[in-house]
Amino acid sequence: MALVRYFVLAIAGGLLSAAQLGAQGSMGAITGRVVDSVSNQPIAAVTVRIEGTARGTVTRDDGTYMLGSVPVGSARVRAARIGYAPQVVDVTVTAGAPVTANFSLATAGVILEQVVTTGYGTQRREAITGSVATVSGDDANVGVVTNANDMLQGRVAGVELTTNSGEPGAAAQIRIRGGTSISASNEPLYVIDGVPINNAATEATGVGIGGDPALPRSPLNLLNPSDIESITILKDASATAIYGSRAANGVILIQTKKGPTGGGSTIEYDGYVAMSQPSTYLDLASAGEYRSFVTAERDRIAAVPLPQRDTARLKIWNGVIAALGTADTDWERELTRSSVTQNHNLSFAGGREDTRYRASLNYMDQEGIVLQSGFKRVQGRLNATHHAFEDRLRIGVNLTASNLTNDYLPFEDEA
């Protein structure tokens, strides 16, 4: 038995050695050196890896590296380091002798963090200690968007938006991290291109019939959403260090688009036409069904024998039947419609290193699904900057002219 045991161990050892020799025979190695393309000095701490695999290493102080146990065949070797543009070299790995892959990296600037607007300028996001959220204007301007408030709906955590009504161009109540006061205002501060504005109604409310009038439209309707580049929300108390007590409820910073620094002049047009209609109607009784109900109720009272019959109530029901007539009008359908919305934007932009400009024209006409309700905007905007005397003098122009037409619904809240 001892002889058999030794024989089995000898066979297993031989098979294992053969497998290791076979594996070593199908593997190769990659060596090389990484230097700076300008100074030709070695670069340390460069990550060298084979693309598509987890196999990699870093260069030594003298810029050399070695990758062992690389499968035989073609491979793409990539060298990368912060501050340098990455480089890829194709090699063919063979068994036995190592293959050489040298790199010469060129310096390149990189952006490590996103830049955000903070009210008094721009900073890298990594340097901001407060809570800041940014919404891209192009990403948020999707569908029928009337004003900047609509661009925030469901896009920023901690921001609650409630529309005052379903009318076109309606205002909205925005709460950033909830309300902060019981009796004072809870509205945030709006800042457009560095200029704070008062978030107060700029026009009269609607007409009230037997109740309070309709709420006014949003004061941000004067700004075309297609002219907005980004919206930044400052959520916490750090905003008060910039704008004071006005920012106690948070700050909404709106940055408008500016002209490019180069590349010549451009003309851009975009527009859309949309249609909306009521999705459902109330399932109410028709005129014939209501007339049958009233007649049945009158007949029930008339069937009661005297003196138990309620003659006064019977007289009332007879008067109702006489006043019903034969009309059968569905007033819900008569007062609603399939409304059409059209929006057209035309912009001109251009400039060079010292002069930039962007001008835009906007026409928007949004009909409400209820007759005689709607919102119309005609707007023109000019944004230009010029640097002179070797950037010692800076001249800027930021003009917006808007003409708004609001058609309100008469509001009634009494039976």
Side-chain angles (χ1 to χ4, degrees), residues 200-357:
T202 57
E203 57 196 23
T205 57
V207 179
I209 302 176
D212 295 330
L215 295 172
R217 303 287 171 83
S218 173
L220 295 180
N221 286 337
L222 60 89
L223 191 62
N224 177 20
S226 296
D227 288 337
I228 297 177
E229 181 178 3
S230 65
I231 302 177
T232 303
I233 298 91
L234 308 182
K235 302 179 184 180
D236 55 16
S238 62
T240 59
I242 308 172
Y243 298 103
S245 60
R246 295 178 298 173
N249 302 315
V251 182
I252 297 179
L253 304 173
I254 301 177
Q255 288 290 117
T256 59
K257 294 181 180 179
K258 299 176 176 59
T261 57
S265 301
T266 61
I267 300 177
E268 181 179 355
Y269 167 80
D270 68 271
Y272 61 82
V273 177
M275 180 175 290
S276 60
Q277 61 184 8
S279 58
T280 58
Y281 288 93
L282 297 176
D283 188 13
L284 302 176
S286 64
E289 293 172 341
Y290 182 70
R291 191 177 294 109
S292 299
F293 164 76
V294 174
T295 303
E297 187 67 15
R298 189 273 313 268
D299 295 342
R300 183 185 65 81
I301 298 175
V304 177
L306 294 173
Q308 290 82 9
R309 180 186 305 167
D310 190 349
T311 56
R313 187 173 180 82
L314 179 61
K315 184 178 180 180
I316 294 175
W317 282 108
N318 285 329
V320 172
I321 293 175
L324 284 178
T326 59
D328 189 4
T329 303
D330 188 343
W331 288 107
E332 186 181 15
R333 296 181 182 272
E334 290 293 328
L335 295 177
T336 57
R337 62 184 172 182
S338 295
S339 62
V340 178
T341 300
Q342 56 177 323
N343 185 58
H344 306 278
N345 296 294
L346 182 63
S347 63
F348 309 85
R352 54 184 186 272
E353 186 175 354
D354 56 349
T355 303
R356 301 166 61 184
Y357 70 89

Side-chain angles (χ1 to χ4, degrees), residues 51-279:
E51 290 190 341
T53 67
R55 193 181 303 275
T57 185
V58 293
T59 57
R60 307 179 184 92
D61 293 339
D62 59 355
T64 60
Y65 72 93
M66 186 187 70
L67 286 170
S69 301
V70 181
V72 173
S74 60
R76 291 176 59 86
V77 185
R78 185 176 187 272
R81 189 182 188 277
I82 295 177
Y84 293 88
Q87 187 178 5
V88 178
V89 175
D90 294 325
V91 297
T92 301
V93 181
T94 59
V99 63
T100 301
N102 295 322
F103 296 89
S104 180
L105 302 184
T107 58
V110 295
I111 300 177
L112 298 179
E113 292 292 339
Q114 182 182 0
V115 175
V116 296
T117 303
T118 57
Y120 47 79
T122 58
Q123 293 186 3
R124 293 202 312 270
R125 183 176 290 276
E126 67 176 1
I128 300 296
T129 57
S131 179
V132 179
T134 304
V135 177
S136 171
D138 294 334
D139 295 340
N141 189 17
V142 179
V144 180
V145 177
T146 306
N147 52 53
N149 289 334
D150 297 339
M151 303 172 71
L152 298 177
Q153 183 73 48
R155 297 183 180 274
V156 182
V159 176
E160 180 182 353
L161 188 147
T162 304
T163 306
N164 290 339
S165 67
E167 291 186 285
Q173 296 180 358
I174 296 181
R175 299 292 181 265
I176 299 177
R177 291 185 171 179
T180 58
S181 175
I182 298 177
S183 58
S185 173
N186 288 304
E187 294 293 328
L189 175 67
Y190 288 87
V191 180
I192 301 178
D193 288 336
V195 179
I197 66 171
N198 186 18
N199 186 24
T202 57
E203 57 196 23
T205 57
V207 179
I209 302 176
D212 295 330
L215 295 172
R217 303 287 171 83
S218 173
L220 295 180
N221 286 337
L222 60 89
L223 191 62
N224 177 20
S226 296
D227 288 337
I228 297 177
E229 181 178 3
S230 65
I231 302 177
T232 303
I233 298 91
L234 308 182
K235 302 179 184 180
D236 55 16
S238 62
T240 59
I242 308 172
Y243 298 103
S245 60
R246 295 178 298 173
N249 302 315
V251 182
I252 297 179
L253 304 173
I254 301 177
Q255 288 290 117
T256 59
K257 294 181 180 179
K258 299 176 176 59
T261 57
S265 301
T266 61
I267 300 177
E268 181 179 355
Y269 167 80
D270 68 271
Y272 61 82
V273 177
M275 180 175 290
S276 60
Q277 61 184 8
S279 58

